[in-house]
Amino acid sequence: MATPRTLSFLFLFFFFFFVVVVVFASGAIAQSLPPPRQDGFVYTDHRVDSDTVVVEAFLDPVCPDSRDSWPPLKQALQYYGPRVWLVVHLLPLPYHDNAYVASRALHIVNALNTSATFHLLEMFFKQQERFYNDQTKNMSRAAVVNSIVKFAAQVVGNSYYSSIASGFNDRLTDLKTRVSFKYSTSKGVYATPSFFLNGFLLPDAGSPIDYNGWRSFIDPLIAAQGQRR
Ligand SMILES: *[C@@H]1O[C@H](CO)[C@@H](O)[C@H](O)[C@H]1NC(C)=O
Ligand SMILES: *[C@@H]1O[C@H](CO)[C@@H](O)[C@H](O)[C@H]1NC(C)=O
């Protein structure tokens, strides 16, 4: 039978253990936020000034509505050229089983070759059925990671295979993906795609916006800028 002395020893032991866990856990959070660099993949490579219209897109690489929203957004960007600036934030939705792994692959590839990030995002959109819940429900998590590593290497170049694979063992890439999630949720975003235009959320979050929709949002802003001059 346990004596009061062993009980108090056990109590102290677990109390100490608990304190260590709490200190380490909060230390890890404090370390990652705010992040050393702002979250997001910048699509448009041009200067931003006070007249530049800023679009922030919140996307999930395995979400069909995010996929459908991408071509018209690209078309609008092409139309507006340097007047519009786009940054993409990832929001891996918890009910898309492989969204986090796919998002992490994007962070890994972005660190290896920034110019390949959007190529990989577009390939995820093109072939995202492969990574849907139903299609992967018999696969282990390790098998899914493996298949996403192979997929990403095929897209960005097989010479990257081992770097992408080891990226999944690098805690930093996990932290970056967590920062994306936290950034998105801290903005109150809970559906993909969601778009902010000059800092304000556009209506119908979770649904794609077509090309005419983008024109109807952005044309008036640019016209209003002209009146100010
Ligand atoms: C980086 O990616 C771009 C776009 O996919 C590609 O053209 C370029 O060759 C890549 N650079 C390297 C060093 O692999
Ligand atoms: C998963 O396994 C079940 C049972 O073996 C099988 O009926 C089903 O077709 C499998 N699904 C896929 C997507 O492979």
Side-chain angles (χ1 to χ4, degrees):
M1 214 175 88
T3 63
R5 188 182 273 223
T6 40
L7 280 180
S8 60
F9 173 76
L10 277 177
F11 173 79
L12 275 176
F13 177 81
F14 281 108
F15 180 75
F16 180 70
F17 181 75
F18 176 76
V19 166
V20 166
V21 165
V22 165
V23 166
F24 269 80
S26 60
I29 291 164
Q31 207 173 27
S32 61
L33 291 180
R37 289 198 183 85
Q38 283 212 16
D39 181 68
F41 304 130
V42 175
Y43 181 73
T44 34
D45 192 18
H46 53 69
R47 280 164 57 91
V48 178
D49 64 31
S50 58
D51 277 354
T52 311
V53 173
V54 173
V55 178
E56 286 172 90
F58 294 81
L59 306 175
D60 173 338
V62 294
C63 152
D65 289 314
S66 295
R67 171 194 66 198
D68 295 344
S69 76
W70 185 245
L73 175 55
K74 264 177 71 171
Q75 197 189 345
L77 286 171
Q78 218 159 18
Y79 172 77
Y80 291 109
R83 285 175 160 271
V84 176
W85 186 84
L86 169 69
V87 60
V88 169
H89 299 283
L90 299 176
L91 174 56
L93 293 168
Y95 40 86
H96 293 153
D97 294 345
N98 305 312
Y100 193 84
V101 176
S103 298
R104 192 169 174 183
L106 285 161
H107 275 290
I108 292 169
V109 163
N110 185 63
L112 294 170
N113 177 357
T114 309
S115 337
T117 313
F118 283 95
H119 186 35
L120 180 58
L121 180 64
E122 289 183 350
M123 290 311 277
F124 270 124
F125 286 155
K126 267 201 185 110
Q127 300 191 33
Q128 65 177 199
E129 282 90 352
R130 288 175 58 174
F131 306 111
Y132 284 172
N133 297 2
D134 272 354
Q135 277 78 347
T136 54
K137 73 176 174 197
N138 292 341
M139 291 168 75
S140 69
R141 191 186 148 75
V144 168
V145 170
N146 212 6
S147 121
I148 285 185
V149 168
K150 269 197 202 131
F151 177 78
Q154 273 162 13
V155 173
V156 302
N158 279 315
S159 57
Y160 284 108
Y161 180 86
S162 60
S163 323
I164 298 170
S166 60
F168 275 97
N169 298 319
D170 179 353
R171 180 158 163 72
L172 207 60
T173 68
D174 179 31
L175 289 177
K176 281 184 183 170
T177 318
R178 290 183 192 207
V179 165
S180 291
F181 172 82
K182 289 174 193 201
Y183 181 78
S184 302
T185 51
S186 74
K187 298 283 167 222
V189 177
Y190 56 84
T192 60
S194 289
F195 301 101
F196 284 65
L197 194 52
N198 283 348
F200 285 85
L201 179 66
L202 291 179
D204 294 329
S207 308
I209 296 174
D210 65 14
Y211 175 72
N212 290 332
W214 282 113
R215 292 291 305 273
S216 72
F217 285 124
I218 297 176
D219 280 357
L221 305 186
I222 289 177
Q225 288 176 357
Q227 285 159 14
R228 199 195 61 193
R229 279 207 195 94

